[in-house]
Amino acid sequence: MEKKNIDWGNLGFGYVKTDYRYVSNFKDGAWDEGGLITDDTVTISECAGVLQYAQTVFEGMKAYTTEDGHIVTFRPDLNAERMENSAKRLEMPVFPKERFIEAVVETVKANAAYVPPYGSGATLYVRPYMFGSNPVIGVKPADEYQFRVFTTPVGPYFKGGVKPLTIRVSDFDRAAPCGTGHIKAGLNYAMSLHAIVDAHEKGFDENMYLDPKTRTKVEETGGANFLFVTKDGKVVTPKSDSILPSITRRSLIYVAKEYLGLEAEEREIYMDEVKDFAECGLCGTAAVISPVGKIVDHGNEICLPSGMTEMGPITKKLYDTLTGIQMGRIEAPKGWIQVIE
């Protein structure tokens, strides 16, 4: 298929309308058969559940062109499972896992002309989401829902090269004890907007949120999980019931153990330990790993030995290995790569 006339090398991380999106509606206790449409607008009641009580969940994933020319996505089954857990927590109907994967494949395939070519650094961002669509004025779950998938081509996260981030320990909480921090719900991101704007105004790239109960343990940032490397080369990542289970983080832990032969574990990480780590990164769909060079805890600067100029050596190996798997340069574990065409 002939690609769209897009300057792939100068794409930012923003919305570009593509030709097709997938839509399915839930009514009278069942999902309809769904299908592709060309209209990018959503028409709902002014009293829709999503507008009144923020009943919405979403996922973020990517499709890209591998070295051998195939269009693929990365571990979509885990996105489907995570959306299932998110929907259950907000009393929304589950969109079946098999149908979720089919909808993603169908939408990406229909927009294949927008999937950036291999080597461009750009990818096709895929956003499945679901929301309460019928009028709801009393505080209760909606009765009707819409599941949609849209795509948009996006540029490389690190435009102009990798620059380690400076982050701060936030006075805000991103989640409540026994709350919704473990699911991918729009409401979690809405409450983080003030904190990130405030961080940027004060010269920081991101927030480090601590656990909401004791404020002694590292949790995550607003949109990524933490990954640390100890001075003896061990990979550790925070364990908590109030952080989002990142698919990228889980994949990196597997890569550390099975591909690089490193010791790796998920455990509680106390803020007091951070000063003793050799490397730190933020992991997520957008960048895979964003290196962190400095963490500021209320005026106390923690400067990671990996520095402010490049990724630490182990973080770099993890990044290179996982992106190599995603792009087809390194053989993937069984089931990780969904070939679309």
Side-chain angles (χ1 to χ4, degrees):
M1 176 180 285
E2 187 178 344
K3 297 293 183 183
K4 295 289 182 178
N5 185 23
I6 293 173
D7 186 358
W8 306 109
N10 286 309
L11 276 173
F13 200 87
Y15 177 73
V16 175
K17 180 184 172 183
T18 55
D19 294 339
Y20 297 95
R21 61 275 311 132
Y22 181 93
V23 180
S24 180
N25 291 290
F26 181 90
K27 188 175 182 179
D28 299 326
W31 290 102
D32 66 16
E33 64 180 16
L36 295 173
I37 64 170
T38 57
D39 186 3
D40 65 327
T41 59
V42 178
T43 302
I44 50 175
S45 166
E46 63 184 353
C47 195
V50 62
L51 301 179
Q52 304 309 315
Y53 302 119
Q55 204 180 11
T56 179
V57 297
F58 70 98
E59 279 299 319
M61 52 203 300
K62 287 181 173 180
Y64 36 86
T65 307
T66 58
E67 192 170 32
D68 61 4
H70 289 108
I71 294 174
V72 305
T73 60
F74 182 70
R75 308 191 78 177
D77 56 317
L78 296 188
N79 291 96
E81 289 170 9
R82 191 167 65 181
M83 180 173 262
E84 177 178 342
N85 293 332
S86 298
K88 287 177 178 177
R89 180 63 176 81
L90 293 192
E91 289 297 327
M92 303 170 75
V94 169
F95 195 74
K97 177 178 175 179
E98 296 74 20
R99 288 196 60 189
F100 178 102
I101 296 171
E102 286 170 8
V104 167
V105 169
E106 202 175 328
T107 310
V108 173
K109 199 168 186 176
N111 292 299
Y114 290 92
V115 180
Y118 175 79
S120 64
T123 53
L124 187 74
Y125 188 81
V126 183
R127 170 58 59 88
Y129 64 111
M130 189 200 306
F131 56 87
S133 55
N134 70 295
V136 179
I137 198 67
V139 181
K140 64 175 184 176
D143 298 311
E144 298 175 8
Y145 296 85
Q146 190 167 101
F147 170 84
R148 297 176 71 102
V149 183
F150 72 80
T151 60
T152 182
V154 295
Y157 193 83
F158 294 126
K159 219 164 190 179
V162 176
K163 183 180 181 297
L165 308 174
T166 298
I167 65 177
R168 69 166 182 186
V169 176
S170 180
D171 288 325
F172 299 100
D173 290 327
R174 66 162 291 276
C178 306
T180 58
H182 63 295
I183 65 169
K184 204 165 178 67
L187 53 90
N188 293 340
Y189 293 80
M191 60 71 54
S192 73
L193 296 178
H194 173 67
I196 192 61
V197 169
D198 184 69
H200 288 165
E201 287 176 349
K202 291 178 170 58
F204 300 100
D205 296 301
E206 255 294 359
N207 290 294
M208 171 185 276
Y209 292 108
L210 303 181
D211 73 289
K213 188 174 286 186
T214 70
R215 298 190 61 78
T216 60
K217 291 173 277 192
V218 175
E219 292 250 303
E220 62 163 273
T221 70
N225 283 184
F226 279 102
L227 186 144
F228 298 98
V229 180
T230 64
K231 288 177 179 172
D232 60 357
K234 184 177 181 180
V235 177
V236 291
T237 185
K239 182 177 184 179
S240 167
D241 291 334
S242 54
I243 64 175
L244 190 72
S246 164
I247 293 162
T248 304
R249 183 201 67 198
R250 283 179 273 173
S251 302
L252 287 166
I253 291 294
Y254 182 92
V255 163
K257 291 176 179 177
E258 304 300 328
Y259 281 71
L260 301 179
L262 300 171
E263 195 176 345
E265 69 172 337
E266 182 185 2
R267 64 168 174 82
E268 291 185 337
I269 296 175
Y270 286 85
M271 185 61 207
D272 291 348
E273 295 180 71
V274 173
K275 66 182 185 304
D276 299 321
F277 290 127
E279 301 174 36
C280 172
L282 308 181
C283 49
T285 300
V288 180
I289 307 177
S290 307
V292 174
K294 185 189 297 183
I295 301 167
V296 181
D297 182 5
H298 299 87
N300 176 38
E301 293 191 354
I302 301 170
C303 298
L304 280 302
S306 50
M308 291 297 294
T309 57
E310 57 188 9
M311 281 187 181
I314 290 179
T315 303
K316 183 74 163 59
K317 283 181 184 176
L318 288 167
Y319 175 85
D320 288 345
T321 306
L322 187 57
T323 54
I325 289 169
Q326 291 174 332
M327 292 296 171
R329 296 188 297 270
I330 298 172
E331 186 175 352
K334 185 178 180 181
W336 277 29
I337 302 297
Q338 170 85 48
V339 178
I340 292 173
E341 70 170 28

